[in-house]
Amino acid sequence: MEKPNITAQSAMRAAGGRPAKVSEVLELLGRRVVTGDYAVGETLPVEKELIEELSVSRTTLREAIKTLTALGLLEVRTRHGTRVRPRQDWSLLSRDVLRWMQPVEGVNVELSSAIDEAREVFEPAACALAAVRADRREITRIRLAYEAMERAAENDDVEAAIQADKDFHLAILAATGNPILEAFDTAIDAVLGLLFKAAIERHMESFRKNLANHLRVLEAIEQRRPEEARQAMLDMIGFTRRNLENYQIIKPIS
Amino acid sequence: MEKPNITAQSAMRAAGGRPAKVSEVLELLGRRVVTGDYAVGETLPVEKELIEELSVSRTTLREAIKTLTALGLLEVRTRHGTRVRPRQDWSLLSRDVLRWMQPVEGVNVELSSAIDEAREVFEPAACALAAVRADRREITRIRLAYEAMERAAENDDVEAAIQADKDFHLAILAATGNPILEAFDTAIDAVLGLLFKAAIERHMESFRKNLANHLRVLEAIEQRRPEEARQAMLDMIGFTRRNLENYQIIKPIS
DNA sequence: TCTTGGTGATTGGTATGACGAATCGCCAGC
DNA sequence: GCTGGCGATTCGTCATACCAATCACCAAGA
């Protein structure tokens, strides 16, 4: 049902229960980079200093840095040190990077707005594709997510509502059969949780009102009507956008 | 002008000129995973065996595996070994992963089709956004790329044509001001090269015919007409798609 | 016979120390 | 002042060791 979601976050505890050191270092350095603690273009302290500051072995430090390099945050050159790469090279669709970019409390309005704008681009198209290509299994998954939303609405269960809403969108993405579009699911998964949580907690009623939009999407996909599905998703995102703007979780379109 | 493009590929040679060992191991293991040499869900040989097979130290092997883990290809659990994660978790927008997924000769039709389909989704939208938001600098970059395309057409310079065409599309993406959309530039950069190369080499004339489409996009952006820009890009992609289909570089829409 | 408990082997996680290669900065000599 | 070289710096790689968690196996006891 759920994918493993192996991220630094979830991997932070080794089987035993103690936090894994590499993950700790990764989290710390990753956050320092995205928060600008180490500015773009800046050179990080040399290995020796970081080892002393963090009290870890060189092995551990280097493994963490290898991960940050793979995520596009850092660039290591022999003898020149470790530097922060420009923002456009960061893997913004990585769970870890997205998490680091969100403040511990609240939301990153700039980033959330960008993701919401991207949703408006991808999700209607994904719906249209899903209406054409989804197999029975995938449609069932979408329907189950919708039904879970209905139950959550009845029970006033915020957590379940968020989860079901996310599942609904992820199921549609998965039904496009396009692996490139599916790559976007990380952003959906990582951020819709935040956005919806902020919105739903403020006003569960808006979640209920949005149920009808979801149902339209579902039915259009079931009936193999791509253009209706596209339009329904567009309407839904518009509805959501207005809510998010009202709560200042995202900023209005420029 | 050009971004550093630090990938395993380019990092394969350390400053000296000798290939870096970690990168070699990374390339080898990465390709084994995406080619299915190590199947999804399968457990890789234990560290000791890989060390012996590849004749590298444990440090080197583990740093390579750390990178593959960050790219979503592998998952390491203490005492359980290293396993290949399901395909939908792979970072398809990473240069390295995309490269591994393309055969050494020719193109991966499935993947190329998916990327082309994704382009049709986000590039028209990117054009519309660029028409609204691009600043003078960004518009200049787009125009310069267009002019480079014209020169390449005059000179029958295939390499320059490919590069300029890529630049044109990347410049538009960069002008959206949306970092999430920009994240797809990796896919564009890594794959348009392949696609265009295959197409242009076969028939430079189609590249020339496509110039007018590019000009329409450029002018619409300069004149701040988002809907015209969107439509122009849609037309351009349709034109390209027909070519690619003819050459069986991608498969027809389902 | 089945369960329970221990015990050693396996496997990844971390720490250390060492050496190499490339490069930078400084200083001496021309 | 310029040039050449030498030492120091810094990352890349290697070898080894120990730890913790877990698994497979076996033996003792109910």
Side-chain angles (χ1 to χ4, degrees):
Chain A
M1 176 117 216
E2 285 301 301
K3 58 166 81 172
N5 263 1
I6 301 296
T7 66
Q9 182 85 310
S10 65
M12 266 184 85
R13 333 206 124 270
R18 270 184 338 300
K21 282 212 172 171
V22 172
S23 299
E24 278 184 350
V25 174
L26 175 61
E27 288 292 311
L28 185 65
L29 295 183
R31 197 157 297 262
R32 280 187 185 174
V33 170
V34 300
T35 59
D37 205 344
Y38 298 136
V40 169
E42 187 183 335
T43 301
L44 271 63
V46 295
E47 289 180 343
K48 188 164 180 295
E49 285 178 41
L50 284 173
I51 287 169
E52 288 171 3
E53 186 206 336
L54 306 175
S55 302
V56 293
S57 70
R58 199 172 162 213
T59 312
T60 303
L61 174 67
R62 284 179 59 85
E63 288 191 3
I65 288 180
K66 260 283 177 286
T67 295
L68 290 171
T69 302
L71 294 177
L73 300 195
L74 297 179
E75 166 188 9
V76 180
R77 285 198 312 165
T78 304
R79 171 64 207 170
H80 285 252
T82 306
R83 301 202 319 166
V84 179
R85 294 184 63 186
R87 284 181 58 122
Q88 69 257 30
D89 294 339
W90 299 357
S91 296
L92 284 192
L93 297 187
S94 139
R95 279 185 176 75
D96 290 329
V97 177
L98 281 174
R99 179 161 33 77
W100 295 329
M101 293 193 77
Q102 294 289 355
V104 180
E105 291 280 322
V107 293
N108 178 335
V109 173
E110 292 291 329
L111 179 62
S112 300
S113 303
I115 291 178
D116 190 68
E117 186 172 86
R119 284 185 63 202
E120 204 157 343
V121 171
F122 285 91
E123 292 212 65
C127 272
L129 286 173
V132 175
R133 297 203 191 127
D135 62 23
R136 191 154 305 282
R137 215 180 129 71
E138 289 163 337
I139 288 180
T140 301
R141 184 179 159 201
I142 301 171
R143 171 164 281 284
L144 287 177
Y146 172 73
E147 291 169 356
M149 287 179 69
E150 279 189 332
R151 276 196 306 279
E154 282 176 23
N155 304 336
D156 271 325
D157 186 339
V158 173
E159 287 304 318
I162 295 169
Q163 187 57 49
D165 205 339
K166 267 169 47 176
D167 279 348
F168 186 87
H169 291 270
L170 292 177
I172 290 174
L173 268 185
T176 61
N178 184 316
I180 301 293
L181 293 180
E182 285 174 41
F184 193 65
D185 71 353
T186 315
I188 299 281
D189 189 22
V191 175
L192 284 206
L194 269 165
L195 300 191
F196 289 173
K197 186 176 169 58
I200 294 176
E201 279 180 346
R202 284 181 172 81
H203 195 44
M204 186 80 174
E205 196 51 36
S206 62
F207 174 77
R208 286 202 188 80
K209 283 185 183 157
N210 210 358
L211 272 179
N213 285 322
H214 283 75
L215 184 57
R216 275 182 60 211
V217 169
L218 169 61
E219 288 179 342
I221 291 176
E222 283 181 331
Q223 293 163 17
R224 306 298 188 185
R225 296 180 181 168
E227 286 316 313
E228 280 185 38
R230 182 195 307 275
Q231 189 58 49
M233 177 57 90
L234 212 44
D235 294 343
M236 183 206 301
I237 292 183
F239 179 90
T240 308
R241 170 179 281 279
R242 282 189 296 279
N243 276 322
L244 295 174
E245 283 176 2
N246 284 341
Y247 300 133
Q248 301 183 349
I249 296 165
I250 64 175
K251 60 184 181 182
I253 310 177
S254 71
Chain B
M1 176 115 219
E2 284 302 300
K3 58 167 78 172
N5 264 0
I6 300 297
T7 67
Q9 183 86 309
S10 64
M12 266 183 84
R13 334 209 124 268
R18 270 184 339 301
K21 283 214 170 169
V22 172
S23 299
E24 277 183 352
V25 174
L26 175 61
E27 286 293 311
L28 186 64
L29 294 183
R31 197 158 296 263
R32 280 186 186 175
V33 170
V34 300
T35 60
D37 206 343
Y38 299 136
V40 169
E42 188 183 334
T43 301
L44 271 64
V46 296
E47 289 181 342
K48 187 164 179 295
E49 287 179 41
L50 284 173
I51 288 170
E52 288 171 3
E53 187 208 335
L54 305 175
S55 302
V56 293
S57 70
R58 201 174 161 208
T59 311
T60 303
L61 174 67
R62 283 179 60 86
E63 288 190 2
I65 288 181
K66 260 283 177 286
T67 296
L68 290 171
T69 302
L71 294 177
L73 300 195
L74 298 179
E75 165 188 10
V76 181
R77 286 197 311 165
T78 305
R79 173 66 205 170
H80 285 253
T82 306
R83 301 202 318 166
V84 179
R85 294 184 64 186
R87 283 182 59 123
Q88 68 258 30
D89 294 339
W90 298 357
S91 296
L92 285 191
L93 298 186
S94 140
R95 277 185 178 74
D96 291 328
V97 177
L98 282 173
R99 178 161 33 78
W100 296 328
M101 292 192 78
Q102 294 288 356
V104 179
E105 289 282 321
V107 293
N108 178 335
V109 173
E110 292 291 327
L111 179 63
S112 300
S113 303
I115 291 177
D116 190 68
E117 185 173 86
R119 285 185 61 203
E120 202 157 343
V121 170
F122 66 82
E123 289 212 70
C127 273
L129 286 173
V132 175
R133 298 201 191 129
D135 61 25
R136 191 154 306 282
R137 215 180 129 71
E138 289 162 337
I139 288 180
T140 301
R141 185 178 158 201
I142 302 172
R143 171 165 281 285
L144 287 176
Y146 172 75
E147 290 169 357
M149 286 179 70
E150 280 188 331
R151 278 197 305 279
E154 281 176 24
N155 304 335
D156 272 325
D157 186 337
V158 173
E159 287 304 318
I162 295 169
Q163 187 58 49
D165 205 339
K166 267 169 47 176
D167 279 349
F168 185 87
H169 291 270
L170 292 177
I172 291 174
L173 266 188
T176 61
N178 184 316
I180 301 292
L181 292 179
E182 285 173 42
F184 285 85
D185 70 352
T186 317
I188 299 282
D189 188 23
V191 176
L192 284 206
L194 268 164
L195 300 190
F196 289 171
K197 185 176 169 61
I200 294 175
E201 280 180 345
R202 284 181 173 80
H203 195 46
M204 186 81 175
E205 195 51 38
S206 62
F207 174 77
R208 286 201 188 81
K209 283 185 183 158
N210 210 359
L211 272 179
N213 285 322
H214 284 75
L215 184 57
R216 274 184 60 212
V217 169
L218 168 61
E219 288 180 341
I221 291 175
E222 284 181 331
Q223 295 162 17
R224 306 298 188 184
R225 297 180 180 168
E227 286 316 313
E228 280 186 37
R230 180 195 307 275
Q231 188 58 49
M233 176 58 90
L234 212 44
D235 295 343
M236 183 206 301
I237 291 183
F239 179 90
T240 308
R241 169 179 282 278
R242 283 190 295 279
N243 275 321
L244 295 174
E245 283 176 1
N246 283 342
Y247 299 134
Q248 301 181 350
I249 296 166
I250 63 174
K251 60 184 180 184
I253 310 178
S254 70

